[in-house]
Amino acid sequence: MLEAEEEAVIVTTPRLILREFVEEDCQAVLEYQSDPRYLRYYTWTTRTELDVRSFVQQFLDWQREEPRLRHQLAVVLASCNRLIGNCGIRLAQEGAREAELGYEISPAYWSHGYATEAAEAMLRFAFEDLGLHRVWGHCVADNLASWRVMEKLGMRCEGRLRENRWFKGRWWDTMVCAVLEDEWRQSAACVPHRLEDNP
């Protein structure tokens, strides 16, 4: 369910509220981004308060874009109002009919289906509210949990980029997946959602 409050975007699901970021979210983001499990598949080895303030600031800046091209929202547990990650849709340019999906969830809340639930909501926003034709995403190939989320969303693997990223002393492959609007509409209409089975 999508709501607009003075141009702010709020997307709700059975267990989550996806809302605009505010400056006060920095501490919660720092907490989960400092977890070694989170850092495993990122170029970063540590995260500082300054790093996270810059990270959150980009989302605040995106809220003021005109026209707005990127909607990266805070993922909040509805039951306790706790920020546990972020999820969003990002267009490369005005008038684009495709966008990138990006998501991350605090390791403390992995294996509960929150990434899939949030990303499903953002796909609905992308296709129904933004009128997009294609949504794509990517992840480090070793990050099997992220890859499974994209599969559960009905995204098809379009390719494996071999050793295209270098960080932490080694080369990493990247998986690229995408879903088209008509594919999403068919899966959304025909496939029952079983959140308890999702990573």
Side-chain angles (χ1 to χ4, degrees):
M1 180 170 142
L2 170 70
E3 299 177 15
E5 294 183 359
E6 298 178 356
E7 300 185 12
V9 175
I10 301 175
V11 178
T12 59
T13 74
R15 301 182 296 171
L16 303 172
I17 299 169
L18 282 69
R19 59 155 174 83
E20 303 283 14
F21 270 91
V22 295
E23 289 184 14
E24 292 74 19
D25 291 328
C26 289
Q27 185 57 43
V29 174
L30 178 60
E31 287 178 15
Y32 78 75
Q33 287 193 350
S34 298
D35 189 311
R37 294 171 293 175
Y38 168 87
L39 291 166
R40 181 177 180 186
Y41 298 118
Y42 285 92
T43 58
W44 311 316
T45 54
T46 60
R47 297 293 277 163
T48 66
E49 183 177 344
L50 185 60
D51 293 332
V52 171
R53 288 197 175 280
S54 177
F55 180 81
V56 171
Q57 185 60 52
Q58 74 176 333
F59 302 150
L60 300 177
D61 292 342
W62 292 352
Q63 293 171 23
R64 295 187 289 271
E65 288 180 330
E66 209 40 71
R68 186 167 181 180
L69 303 178
R70 294 166 287 194
H71 298 81
Q72 198 74 24
L73 305 179
V75 176
V76 176
L77 285 176
S79 61
C80 60
N81 200 35
R82 181 176 181 81
L83 187 151
I84 63 167
N86 68 79
C87 185
I89 293 290
R90 305 182 291 263
L91 282 74
Q93 61 190 25
E94 184 178 0
R97 295 290 307 282
E98 73 166 0
E100 179 183 5
L101 171 70
Y103 50 83
E104 63 183 31
I105 296 293
S106 164
Y109 295 91
W110 286 354
S111 301
H112 296 286
Y114 294 129
T116 305
E117 186 171 343
E120 282 180 336
M122 291 310 294
L123 281 182
R124 183 173 299 278
F125 174 67
F127 291 124
E128 293 191 347
D129 296 280
L130 299 182
L132 300 186
H133 173 68
R134 178 179 182 270
V135 174
W136 66 279
H138 65 89
C139 68
V140 170
D142 290 33
N143 190 348
L144 298 181
S146 185
W147 189 1
R148 282 198 302 270
V149 168
M150 289 190 282
E151 288 182 331
K152 289 178 182 294
L153 296 170
M155 302 176 78
R156 298 184 185 181
C157 178
E158 294 189 335
R160 182 175 184 131
L161 307 180
R162 297 180 302 151
E163 298 188 359
N164 70 314
R165 301 189 64 195
W166 171 268
F167 62 93
K168 294 182 177 170
R170 58 164 282 196
W171 287 103
W172 301 76
D173 291 1
T174 299
M175 301 302 302
V176 178
C177 301
V179 61
L180 304 179
E181 179 190 10
D182 61 344
E183 296 169 340
W184 173 80
R185 290 193 181 280
Q186 289 176 1
S187 65
C190 300
V191 178
H193 301 295
R194 298 179 58 197
L195 296 174
E196 67 275 11
D197 293 341
N198 295 333

